[in-house]
Amino acid sequence: MGGYNIPKATIHRLTRYYRCLERFLLNGKSNVSSKEMANKLNIKPSQIRKDLSYFGEFGKRGVGYDVRELMLSIENILGMKKNWSFCIVGIGNLGLAIANYPGLTKARFKLKGVFDNDKSKIGIGLHDDLVIQSVNELEKTIKERKISIGVLTVPGKYAQKLSDRMVSAGIDGIINFTPVRVIVPKQVMLEEIDISISFRTLAFQINLNL
Amino acid sequence: MGGYNIPKATIHRLTRYYRCLERFLLNGKSNVSSKEMANKLNIKPSQIRKDLSYFGEFGKRGVGYDVRELMLSIENILGMKKNWSFCIVGIGNLGLAIANYPGLTKARFKLKGVFDNDKSKIGIGLHDDLVIQSVNELEKTIKERKISIGVLTVPGKYAQKLSDRMVSAGIDGIINFTPVRVIVPKQVMLEEIDISISFRTLAFQINLNL
DNA sequence: TAGATTGTTAATCGATTAACAATC
DNA sequence: TAGATTGTTAATCGATTAACAATC
C-alpha cells in the first residue's frame, strides 16, 4: 500500500534536482554538495537533504554526493527508467497537444491509445501506430494494451463518467485537465491540472498590484 | 503594492466557492451557510470563513450568506468581471490548444496576439480577428494592444529570452508552460504549469503503490 | 428570547529551515 | 587529525481546523 506520506512538493523538487545534476554532469562535475545544488536552485541545502532523507542515505559525510549515483537513485525513486503507457480520452486541441508533447516520450511515457466520440475523428491515424478509436472501445483497449495512465481532455460534463469507466477498466492513475473535479477510489492516483485557474490566479495577483 | 500575503490555495478555493454558489443559485437557493457549502465541497466550514475573512465580512451571523451577494463579492475579489487581454508566444500544439480553450473567453480572457518564429506560420489567420505574427513584433504589439498577460508555449531554451522581452514591453504577468523555470522581476506575476511534472508525480505515486 | 451561524482567536498540523552530532 | 558535509533532530513558519464570543 506504500504511503510514506511524502509531500508532493518533495517529488516536484526531486525532478528539479535531477535536471540540476544533469547540468553538473555536463560540466564535468562528478561530485556535488547539497550547498552547491541549493545555490543553483535558489533553495536551502537542508531542504535538499531532507527531501532525500525520505528515501534513504545517498551521500558521504564530509564529501557530498556522487553526481552519477544520485541521478541513478532519483531515477529509481521516481520510476524514471520504467516505461509508462498512457491513453488520451478526448482528442480536441488539448488532447492533441499532449499527444505531441515532446517531453513525454523522452520521459518514457508512451501513448498507447486515443479516444473520442466524434465520428468524424474516429479512424484517423495518429503518430505512426495509432488510430483514434471510439470511446466504446475504451475499457477493452485499456485492458489489452495494459494502459496504466489515463488523460482526461473531454468537456467537463463527461469527465466523471469517463473517469469511472477508466477506473473500472483497471487504470492506475488519471490526469484530469477538465475544470470539473472527479472522484476516484483511493487506490487510483489522481492529478488535476486546471488551466483556467492559473489565468484566474494571475489575474487576481495583477488586480491586487494595481 | 497590495500583498496581503494571501495563500494561493485560498484563491484557488475562491473559484471553487464561486462555482458552488452558481449551482446553489440554479437550484433556487438564495441563502447559504458555510456548512452547506463545505458539505458540497468536502472541506471544513471554517476553511471557507477563514478564506473569506482575508477580504472582509460577507455574511450575517445566525443567517449565512446571500448567494447572489457573495458571488458578486467573489467576482470583485478575483477581478472576474474585468476584461483581461493576453497573448500566446509559440503557436505549436499547446499554444493552439490554449488559443481555443473554451473556458477562457467565458472568463473574459481575450486573446489579443499570437506569435511564432516559424515563417510558414506567420500570416496565418486565427479566430476571426487575429493573424500569427513574427516574434519580432512582440514588444510593439504588447504595447499597442495593451496586453497584460503573456503565455509562453515555446521550446524551453527560448523561454527566458522571450520572458525578458515581454517584461521589457511592460507585461503584467506570465504563464509559463515550458519545463524551464524563468526569472522575472517581482512586480511581474508568474504562474508555472509543467505538464510533464504531473505525469512524473503520478508515475511516482503509482510506483509507490505497487 | 433561544437557536443558528458568523468572524476571529487559539490550537493543531505539516512543511521548511536551522542547528548539530556523526563521520568521511 | 582538522575541515567539510552529511543525515537527523529541533525550531520555526505558515496554513488548516477547532473553539467560541459576538450577533443576527
Side-chain angles (χ1 to χ4, degrees), chain A residues 93-98 100-102 195 199, chain B residues 86-102 104 111 113-116 121 126-127 130 132 150-155 175 177-178 195:
Chain A
N93 286 292
L94 188 55
L96 215 49
I98 292 164
N100 295 307
Y101 197 72
I195 289 175
F199 277 79
Chain B
F86 73 103
C87 67
I88 298 174
V89 185
I91 293 293
N93 286 292
L94 187 56
L96 215 48
I98 292 163
N100 295 308
Y101 196 73
L104 291 179
L111 183 57
V114 284
F115 304 93
D116 208 293
K121 287 178 184 169
L126 200 75
H127 297 182
L130 285 172
I132 299 177
V151 174
L152 267 181
T153 45
V154 294
I175 304 183
F177 280 89
T178 77
I195 289 175

Side-chain angles (χ1 to χ4, degrees), chain B residues 193-205:
Chain B
I193 302 180
D194 189 335
I195 289 175
S196 66
I197 277 198
S198 295
F199 277 80
R200 179 56 54 221
T201 306
L202 200 69
F204 165 78
Q205 292 171 322

Side-chain angles (χ1 to χ4, degrees), chain A residues 19 82 179 193 198 204 207, chain B residues 11 19 82 179 193 198 207:
Chain A
R19 287 177 195 157
K82 286 197 179 182
I193 302 180
S198 295
F204 164 77
N207 214 18
Chain B
I11 307 308
R19 286 177 195 157
K82 286 197 178 183
I193 302 180
S198 295
N207 215 16

Side-chain angles (χ1 to χ4, degrees), chain B residues 141-208:
Chain B
T141 310
I142 287 175
K143 285 174 188 159
E144 277 178 9
R145 301 186 192 163
K146 300 186 187 356
I147 292 169
S148 58
I149 295 170
V151 174
L152 267 181
T153 45
V154 294
K157 58 178 170 174
Y158 304 121
Q160 185 61 59
K161 193 165 204 174
L162 287 165
S163 168
D164 291 345
R165 289 178 58 183
M166 290 199 278
V167 168
S168 79
I171 208 94
D172 294 313
I174 288 172
I175 304 183
N176 175 23
F177 280 89
T178 77
V180 173
R181 296 246 167 158
V182 301
I183 313 269
V184 297
K186 15 240 143 312
Q187 80 271 14
V188 176
M189 302 299 115
L190 180 66
E191 285 283 313
E192 314 233 28
I193 302 180
D194 189 335
I195 289 175
S196 66
I197 277 198
S198 295
F199 277 80
R200 179 56 54 221
T201 306
L202 200 69
F204 165 78
Q205 292 171 322
I206 294 171
N207 215 16
L208 208 66

Side-chain angles (χ1 to χ4, degrees), chain A residues 32-102:
Chain A
V32 73
S33 71
S34 59
K35 195 175 165 189
E36 290 171 300
M37 289 182 70
N39 282 343
K40 283 281 176 215
L41 294 166
N42 217 26
I43 58 174
K44 298 284 181 294
S46 53
Q47 178 76 272
I48 296 177
R49 300 202 300 276
K50 180 72 176 174
D51 283 339
L52 292 172
S53 76
Y54 287 112
F55 304 98
E57 309 191 358
F58 305 102
K60 274 197 181 51
R61 289 166 195 238
V63 179
Y65 302 88
D66 182 276
V67 174
R68 241 171 288 253
E69 265 181 37
L70 187 52
M71 286 177 73
L72 287 171
S73 301
I74 294 178
E75 284 169 9
N76 258 324
I77 293 166
L78 298 178
M80 290 171 78
K81 293 297 169 182
K82 286 197 179 182
N83 291 305
W84 298 93
S85 55
F86 73 103
C87 66
I88 298 174
V89 185
I91 293 293
N93 286 292
L94 188 55
L96 215 49
I98 292 164
N100 295 307
Y101 197 72

Side-chain angles (χ1 to χ4, degrees), chain A residues 84 147-149 170-174 187-190, chain B residues 202 206 210:
Chain A
W84 298 93
I147 292 169
S148 59
I149 294 170
I171 207 95
D172 294 314
I174 289 172
Q187 80 271 15
V188 175
M189 302 298 115
L190 180 66
Chain B
L202 200 69
I206 294 171
L210 295 183

